[in-house]
Amino acid sequence: MNLQAALYYESLPNGRVLCTLCPHDCKIAPGHRGACGVRVNHDGRLYTLVADRVVACDVDPVEKKPLFHFLPGSRAYSIATVGCNLRCLFCQNWLISQWPKLRHPEPPSDHPGEVVCPDLAAQPDETALGTRVMPSELVAEAARSGAASIAYTYTEPTIFFELALATARAASEAGLGNIFVTNGFIAPAPLREIAPYLNAANIDLKSFRDGFYKRVCGARLQPILEAIRLYKQLGVWIELTTLIIPGLNDDEMELREMAAFIRTDLGESVPWHLSRFYPAYKMADVEETPLATLRRAREIGREAGLRYVYVGNAPEEEGGEDTVCPFCGDRVIRRRGVGLVQNRLSAGRCPNCAGFIEGRWAIAV
């Protein structure tokens, strides 16, 4: 069994531990795991199973994250481990995000079973899932690939915090950027520790209703709102993504409240990505998002005073992912799908009116 000491936990009586990495605050009995499935109590100490194991490595356009105001046109060396501290019923990557919580190593695709805090002894083979790697190797491979940054993505980077932190430190020293693509369910202390090494984060704001988060994601809304505010306060460039799901989070009042939160608590320049839902995982029977719903959501964002509102996963919406200068209306960045078509900015300024388009157009050294 490959175990490495975990960060952020407290010892409790009777050999139990309190994991303080995320707001679940899991109290884990000996031999059991937290809700993420990858942090285990072994003899009264907390260990991580994914400090040196990755299940995915790829080179993506940074626009795929999606990040539209961070090094446009650049590549991000993207890594993930198994596990997630949420259990979203619509997860596109559930085979790796939920793997450690499945009842069987290869469950039937139509009825995947899940357990919380599963017994480690019942699934011993999962401790070796993924390829063993060192942070220095990841940074070297990212540099060889020509990537400008490393993205911690596909699953939830919070749950592989130890690997992400060590890699981010090494990447920063090598002049590479670091990106979190995250659900935002992280405790303040670990976020404060890793923030100095993070250049950007795309954070899911899945809903503005606590009931949605509890029923559909197995989480709570308030800690996510607090984390989003903290990311911003700590100087990390943030962009938010909301997957619009018909009948669940597409109510106009809810969308208005989301837009007002972004405008009031974060600022008019924080980009908001409105993404089309496609049937997946345990929500395979829900229809995809109508284009009219996405367009109306974009209108709501603009009516709230947000400068940059994008429509994603809808290739038929011409210009839905382009950046328009909020001062003169000039189209300064053109995109198609997850690719950059044209970037007309000069040092972040509009070529027509010289207005500054907020973003991180270069990595500070």
Side-chain angles (χ1 to χ4, degrees), residues 162-362:
E162 293 79 8
L163 176 62
L165 178 62
T167 305
R169 284 171 171 162
S172 293
E173 292 176 358
L176 296 173
N178 290 291
I179 297 167
F180 258 27
V181 181
T182 174
N183 59 37
F185 206 61
I186 186 172
L191 177 52
R192 289 183 182 278
E193 182 172 11
I194 199 168
Y197 309 102
L198 292 181
N199 302 88
N202 184 288
I203 310 168
D204 283 342
L205 182 55
K206 300 173 188 291
S207 171
F208 216 66
R209 299 287 181 265
D210 195 55
F212 176 101
Y213 267 99
K214 289 178 179 177
R215 293 191 311 272
V216 180
C217 305
R220 291 171 288 122
L221 171 62
Q222 194 58 38
I224 292 169
L225 299 182
E226 292 171 0
I228 291 173
R229 294 187 189 101
L230 185 55
Y231 269 101
K232 176 73 173 177
Q233 293 167 10
L234 293 173
V236 180
W237 174 258
I238 62 170
E239 303 187 19
L240 303 185
T241 295
T242 301
L243 182 70
I244 306 294
I245 307 174
L248 288 180
N249 66 351
D250 60 348
D251 177 77
E252 288 198 10
M253 180 59 71
E254 180 176 354
L255 292 170
R256 288 192 190 97
E257 291 175 13
M258 268 196 226
F261 163 76
I262 298 171
R263 176 66 177 85
T264 302
D265 290 48
L266 307 174
E268 61 190 6
S269 299
V270 170
W272 190 21
H273 300 264
L274 302 164
S275 187
R276 170 179 273 171
F277 166 84
Y278 288 99
Y281 191 30
K282 295 186 177 183
M283 293 179 62
D285 58 344
V286 178
E287 66 177 8
E288 67 181 49
T289 317
L291 185 57
T293 301
L294 295 170
R295 287 172 173 167
R296 180 57 186 144
R298 179 175 56 193
E299 290 175 3
I300 289 170
R302 289 173 174 172
E303 289 168 0
L306 301 182
R307 289 181 171 178
Y308 312 107
V309 186
Y310 299 103
V311 170
N313 285 346
E316 69 272 37
E317 182 67 352
E318 187 70 29
E321 296 183 312
D322 292 348
T323 299
V324 175
C325 175
F327 307 104
C328 71
D330 199 21
R331 202 168 296 272
V332 294
I333 302 179
R334 296 179 183 270
R335 304 177 184 87
R336 187 66 177 172
V338 295
L340 179 72
V341 175
Q342 183 185 37
N343 180 7
R344 300 174 57 235
L345 293 179
S346 177
R349 294 195 175 275
C350 172
N352 183 54
C353 71
F356 185 68
I357 309 300
E358 292 83 359
R360 298 291 169 84
W361 311 115

Side-chain angles (χ1 to χ4, degrees), residues 72-96:
S74 69
R75 302 287 176 174
Y77 187 76
S78 303
I79 67 169
T81 73
V82 295
C84 184
N85 53 358
L86 270 59
R87 51 155 184 78
C88 299
L89 302 182
F90 51 82
C91 183
Q92 298 285 329
N93 293 324
W94 68 270
L95 278 173
I96 53 175

Side-chain angles (χ1 to χ4, degrees), residues 80-135:
T81 73
V82 295
C84 184
N85 53 358
L86 270 59
R87 51 155 184 78
C88 299
L89 302 182
F90 51 82
C91 183
Q92 298 285 329
N93 293 324
W94 68 270
L95 278 173
I96 53 175
S97 71
Q98 302 303 311
W99 182 285
K101 292 175 275 189
L102 300 176
R103 292 186 185 277
H104 309 288
E106 296 182 2
S109 60
D110 61 340
H111 187 64
E114 297 179 26
V115 293
V116 175
C117 298
D119 186 343
L120 180 64
Q123 301 162 306
D125 293 339
E126 292 179 14
T127 60
L129 185 60
T131 302
R132 180 169 286 170
V133 69
M134 297 294 291

Side-chain angles (χ1 to χ4, degrees), residues 150-173:
I150 296 180
Y152 310 86
T153 180
Y154 304 141
T155 56
E156 173 49 47
T158 298
I159 63 92
F160 58 93
F161 183 84
E162 293 79 8
L163 176 62
L165 178 62
T167 305
R169 284 171 171 162
S172 293
E173 292 176 358

